[in-house]
Amino acid sequence: MDTPLREPTFLILTALAAAPLHGYGLIHEVSVLSDGRVTLRPGTLYGALDRLVDAGLVDVDREEVVDGWLRRYYRLSPDG
């Protein structure tokens, strides 16, 4: 990435360091890591994830359908 990481992006990467997570899991983990200071909205989260995937720092780990909804899990890439 050419630009410095903003705090929410840094926290997303930190959350993924432990294990692959889906969107809601990332929102929750970022809140825990920041002691509630950072609350990600879905649009912010998925925009950041798209940028991180494009930058090669995050990969899609797997997808599953739960109650008719697609749940996509993300993980750090080797470069992440």
Side-chain angles (χ1 to χ4, degrees):
M1 295 184 79
D2 295 332
T3 58
L5 291 179
R6 294 183 346 196
E7 183 179 23
T9 305
F10 175 78
L11 290 168
I12 290 168
L13 291 171
T14 301
L16 291 173
L21 292 168
H22 57 79
Y24 177 76
L26 279 166
I27 289 171
H28 174 74
E29 191 61 25
V30 164
S31 180
V32 169
L33 287 169
S34 69
D35 292 325
R37 287 183 305 101
V38 177
T39 303
L40 292 177
R41 294 178 183 249
T44 302
L45 171 65
Y46 290 107
L49 285 170
D50 287 343
R51 288 188 298 277
L52 291 167
V53 168
D54 289 345
L57 298 175
V58 170
D59 292 324
V60 173
D61 185 65
R62 67 186 183 279
E63 296 177 337
E64 62 186 22
V65 177
V66 177
D67 295 327
W69 293 91
L70 180 65
R71 183 177 287 174
R72 182 173 290 139
Y73 286 79
Y74 296 89
R75 63 176 163 79
L76 288 182
S77 70
D79 290 337

